[in-house]
């Protein structure tokens, strides 16, 4: 089956994140091609469904056919939201196979400057474990710690570049490490 480059891009992201909300698809496709409109995405999804590549799940999700029957991971959906919040162009690389992180990606921020990011959800009560795990990780990545409550930041002791991310009033809020108490 012949796929367009934007269809291949969408499928490559879905191979990593497994499930995607419908409201994430247009912003993702606009990273790849800023001229994309809602009707382009609807046509692409329709084609991929007819081709057997995508499966609709409920009213709000899609997944690759190979992941049918598996549960959507809310932390991964949030990690994708975080990526979409900071990216201005498609990720150069994206992987979900780099524990302890949920999602890792490379973004070109300026011409010739590439930044590495890693999303790590922090469950309440697991702050000490996360601090220990991060002490063993590479320092060349900016860690985006997704917190349930901003108060968790006081329990984390992190040496590398990091931001705290919380969801407040339906929006993601980012706090640079050291500025969260302000």
């Amino acid at each position: 089956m012949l796929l367009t480059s934007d269809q291949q891009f969408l499928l490559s992201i879905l191979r990593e994140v497994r499930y995607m909300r419908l409201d994430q698809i247009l912003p993702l496709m606009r990273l790849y091609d800023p001229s994309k409109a809602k009707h382009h995405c609807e046509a692409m999804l329709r084609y991929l469904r007819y081709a057997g590549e995508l499966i609709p799940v409920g009213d709000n999700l899609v997944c690759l056919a190979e992941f049918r029957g598996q549960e959507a991971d809310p932390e991964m959906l949030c990690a994708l939201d975080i990526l979409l919040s900071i990216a201005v162009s498609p990720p150069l690389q994206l992987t979900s196979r780099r524990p302890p992180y949920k999602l890792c990606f490379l973004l070109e921020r300026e011409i010739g400057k590439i930044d590495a990011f890693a999303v790590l959800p922090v469950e309440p009560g697991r702050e000490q474990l996360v601090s220990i795990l991060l002490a063993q990780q590479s320092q060349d990545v900016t860690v985006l710690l997704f917190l349930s409550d901003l108060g968790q930041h006081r329990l984390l002791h992190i040496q590398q570049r990091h931001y705290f991310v919380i969801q407040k009033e339906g929006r993601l809020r980012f706090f640079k490490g050291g500025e969260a108490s302000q």
Side-chain angles (χ1 to χ4, degrees):
M1 171 176 70
L2 292 175
L3 297 174
T4 64
S5 57
D6 57 344
Q7 291 168 339
Q8 291 173 2
F9 172 70
L10 177 64
L11 292 177
S12 72
I13 300 293
L14 271 167
R15 279 186 191 88
E16 292 298 326
V17 300
R18 298 186 177 211
Y19 281 79
M20 194 177 292
R21 289 191 323 269
L22 293 175
D23 67 338
Q24 294 172 319
I25 293 172
L26 181 58
L28 181 68
M29 296 313 298
R30 284 186 174 158
L31 292 176
Y32 185 76
D33 179 357
S35 68
K36 287 291 179 205
K38 186 175 180 179
H39 69 275
H40 293 120
C41 289
E42 290 169 349
M44 180 176 55
L45 290 174
R46 195 169 38 254
Y47 177 80
L48 292 171
R49 274 197 316 266
Y50 293 145
E53 294 286 335
L54 285 183
I55 304 293
V57 180
D59 294 333
N60 193 33
L61 295 172
V62 294
C63 74
L64 292 179
E66 61 202 67
F67 300 122
R68 176 188 295 138
Q70 296 180 13
E71 291 291 317
D73 181 352
E75 290 178 343
M76 183 60 80
L77 294 171
C78 185
L80 187 56
D81 284 334
I82 292 170
L83 163 70
L84 291 170
S85 293
I86 64 174
V88 294
S89 61
L92 301 173
Q93 182 181 13
L94 182 129
T95 185
S96 61
R97 296 179 289 267
R98 193 170 158 208
Y101 305 117
K102 183 59 74 171
L103 188 65
C104 298
F105 50 92
L106 297 176
L107 296 176
E108 186 171 20
R109 306 293 276 174
E110 301 170 9
I111 294 180
K113 183 166 172 32
I114 298 173
D115 292 325
F117 294 92
V119 178
L120 180 58
V122 181
E123 295 176 27
R126 299 186 58 94
E127 296 86 358
Q128 184 178 8
L129 176 62
V130 167
S131 297
I132 292 168
L133 288 171
L134 287 176
Q136 301 170 16
Q137 301 300 313
S138 171
Q139 301 291 314
D140 63 347
V141 65
T142 300
V143 181
L144 304 164
L145 296 146
F146 182 65
L147 309 177
S148 301
D149 178 72
L150 189 56
Q152 289 178 274
H153 85 278
R154 291 183 184 93
L155 303 172
L156 292 160
H157 306 286
I158 303 163
Q159 300 302 311
Q160 63 225 75
R161 290 181 315 273
H162 62 282
Y163 287 83
F164 300 112
V165 184
I166 62 165
Q167 191 159 19
K168 189 173 183 179
E169 300 170 1
R171 293 183 51 219
L172 292 175
R173 309 277 314 244
F174 291 78
F175 300 91
K176 189 172 185 176
E179 297 175 357
S181 60
Q182 300 174 0

